[in-house]
Amino acid sequence: GTDISARFTSRLSRRGTMPPTSALASDACLAALAARRAPRGRVPSRSRIPRAGTNNASGDVGEDDIRNDTMPANARREPRKAVRLARRAMLAAPPALVAGAAVRSADAAAPGEWGYADFETGPLRWGEVLDASGARAFPDCGCAACAQSPIDISLSRANKGAFAEGSLADVAVPAKGAVTVAVAQKHGTPNYALVQGVNKTRDVAVGGLDASGGVALDGVPYAFSSLHFHTPAENTLDGAANAMEMHLVHFSSDGSGAIAVLGVLFRYADEENPADKTVERLLADVAADGGKRRVKIEPGALWDGASGYFRWQGSLTTPPCTGGVSWVLQKEVRTVSRAAVKRFRLHLGDGAFPGNARPTQPLNGRAVRAFEPKSA
């Protein structure tokens, strides 16, 4: 069989984590990876194909599938010996060296780096990403008991199936005319930030909003700051995800730093329901960067004031996954062209994780309030 230590060493070399000058450092890297790949007391699995007698219904064994009862004794002892040697090297190496090797093997990216395409730094591992000091950079992202976003909204459970009276126009304040947003890349996706001459908090009157509009929740005004897109949609309805979701990010005008997000869902357009023209313009050049491309929009045209909406408390859906975010999600689903979504997906690129949508998070006892306009 193939020597497991050679395979581990080759993998470390490909990742660029093999220190070039020290044999001890090499052994420490091997030890860190071996310990990570092989739980104590077990031999690493030699096949990713289902074993016969477990969940391989046909009972056939593929060419890469190795049964325990047919594996030669030497082949079984080989990986065990390699793991024992790796553990001895780890015990003999200085603690700082072993720790550094473990960090490199667990996260080959730059400290604090996160994204979607790479499994090691993708949404399922955001809570494990380490900073330069070796501490967890985004602990909130890995908090299973916290109030995180996005969520799945059960229409039958929101307000116990009864919608309260209200429309989006009750909480969303349209801009007084067009505003300009500049496009720049953030972790591989386009972000559209409001362009302004001075700090927004200086432009906001006490208790009010400036000309760029925003949202007002429980008497607190939140001024529009930026917007971005996710595909597929992050917040789901009864377990189903739409084609895309837009997030309009707002900051409280009182300077507290509180955040409110207005979400709008999009399904694919058709002949009877053409694509939203403003969204099509925003997604026309998703690769633009550096703020050079600027687009004039009317934020109020991106949502429907006559629609119902949902409200809940959650978090940012990207690192650092900050909590205490007030969420508003428009109930009515708007439309986007398939071409625009395809262009956005191609820009994101292929990877271990599809699109740029974080999986839904548990409600953990949170209430989702549902509002519906008064019937005519």
Side-chain angles (χ1 to χ4, degrees):
T2 304
D3 187 350
I4 190 172
S5 64
R7 287 190 288 133
F8 280 153
T9 304
S10 175
R11 191 170 302 172
L12 284 169
S13 299
R14 290 198 305 271
R15 292 187 178 187
T17 57
M18 176 72 73
T21 58
S22 170
L24 185 58
S26 172
D27 288 341
C29 285
L30 173 61
L33 186 55
R36 175 167 167 248
R37 298 284 180 174
R40 182 175 297 177
R42 296 183 60 184
V43 178
S45 172
R46 297 176 61 87
S47 173
R48 287 181 288 182
I49 298 177
R51 295 183 185 276
T54 55
N55 59 347
N56 191 348
S58 67
D60 298 331
V61 182
E63 61 179 2
D64 295 324
D65 199 6
I66 302 176
R67 283 186 174 180
N68 285 334
D69 57 351
T70 61
M71 184 185 293
N74 290 341
R76 289 198 299 269
R77 287 195 295 268
E78 210 173 87
R80 291 173 182 160
K81 181 179 179 181
V83 172
R84 284 198 301 269
L85 291 174
R87 286 175 178 162
R88 290 174 185 172
M90 183 168 61
L91 292 174
L97 181 58
V98 175
V103 169
R104 288 192 298 271
S105 64
D107 184 11
E113 183 62 30
W114 62 271
Y116 295 93
D118 187 349
F119 178 77
E120 293 292 342
T121 56
L124 301 180
R125 297 284 187 88
W126 285 345
E128 301 172 22
V129 173
L130 306 180
D131 61 20
S133 69
R136 296 198 174 193
F138 316 116
D140 286 351
C141 297
C143 179
C146 296
Q148 288 284 292
S149 293
I151 64 170
D152 176 54
I153 298 174
S154 169
L155 299 179
S156 62
R157 293 181 181 178
N159 284 10
K160 297 182 179 180
F163 281 70
E165 185 178 322
S167 66
L168 196 56
D170 296 334
V171 295
V173 181
K176 297 176 182 178
V179 300
T180 301
V181 292
V183 189
Q185 299 296 312
K186 290 184 67 175
H187 295 276
T189 62
N191 184 68
Y192 306 81
L194 180 67
V195 177
Q196 54 188 8
V198 295
N199 189 293
K200 174 170 286 295
T201 57
R202 296 176 183 174
D203 291 337
V204 179
V206 177
L209 291 166
D210 69 356
S212 59
V215 295
L217 304 174
D218 304 320
V220 178
Y222 295 80
F224 171 68
S225 176
S226 66
L227 66 89
H228 58 269
F229 296 88
H230 295 271
T231 182
E234 293 195 301
N235 293 295
T236 59
L237 301 177
D238 286 333
N242 280 277
M244 182 169 271
E245 182 172 349
M246 175 180 61
H247 292 162
L248 293 95
V249 181
H250 306 76
F251 288 90
S252 62
S253 57
D254 61 6
S256 65
I259 302 172
V261 178
L262 170 57
V264 181
L265 302 173
F266 292 86
R267 59 182 173 81
Y268 289 124
D270 53 36
E271 292 183 359
E272 296 182 357
N273 301 281
D276 185 293
K277 293 182 179 179
T278 303
V279 170
E280 294 297 307
R281 285 197 295 113
L282 288 169
L283 296 176
D285 185 5
V286 293
D289 196 9
K292 294 181 180 180
R293 179 175 181 252
R294 299 191 173 191
V295 185
K296 278 192 175 183
I297 62 170
E298 293 190 15
L302 295 171
W303 44 266
D304 183 3
S307 171
Y309 65 97
F310 302 96
R311 276 194 65 182
W312 70 93
Q313 289 298 114
S315 72
L316 298 178
T317 64
T318 58
C321 305
T322 306
V325 176
S326 298
W327 275 86
V328 177
L329 182 68
Q330 178 174 297
K331 181 176 180 288
E332 297 299 324
V333 180
R334 306 193 82 166
T335 52
V336 64
S337 70
R338 291 180 180 272
V341 175
K342 181 180 180 180
R343 186 162 54 246
F344 190 85
R345 283 183 176 271
L346 288 175
H347 175 66
L348 297 177
D350 295 327
F353 198 86
N356 66 330
R358 186 190 190 192
T360 55
Q361 306 296 302
L363 281 174
N364 292 330
R366 284 176 287 171
V368 178
R369 291 181 285 170
F371 297 84
E372 188 74 21
K374 184 179 180 179
S375 301

